[in-house]
Amino acid sequence: MYEYKFVNVEVSLWSGKSKENHQEIIRQHAAEGWRLNQIFAPPTNASGQTHHMELIFERTVEDRNS
């Protein structure tokens, strides 16, 4: 069984770059046992630019019944 964590990172409309260091966010979560599963950047305006990207992490959950 897996559990998931979703982290939103804002993206600058001017530069198209993340406002936070997304690589550091990934490293920090990896140190806590999370694995990066996907980066999702939905288009949110008419020109197709996104306001944020969503980092999706997963990790195994131990069976609590064992």
Side-chain angles (χ1 to χ4, degrees):
M1 178 185 266
Y2 295 96
E3 66 177 320
Y4 294 90
K5 184 174 184 179
F6 303 87
V7 178
N8 284 323
V9 178
E10 288 187 49
V11 174
S12 169
L13 292 178
W14 297 106
S15 68
K17 295 181 180 180
S18 59
K19 293 183 178 181
E20 297 176 66
N21 186 338
H22 62 282
Q23 293 174 348
E24 186 57 32
I25 294 170
I26 293 168
R27 285 186 199 98
Q28 289 172 352
H29 281 78
E32 296 171 7
W34 292 98
R35 183 178 75 89
L36 179 65
N37 181 278
Q38 181 177 3
I39 298 175
F40 177 67
T44 59
N45 64 24
S47 65
Q49 289 181 301
T50 187
H51 294 269
H52 75 280
M53 61 180 160
E54 190 166 49
L55 307 179
I56 304 171
F57 295 93
E58 74 176 3
R59 68 179 173 188
T60 304
V61 176
E62 293 182 25
D63 186 0
R64 298 170 209 262
N65 297 325
S66 299

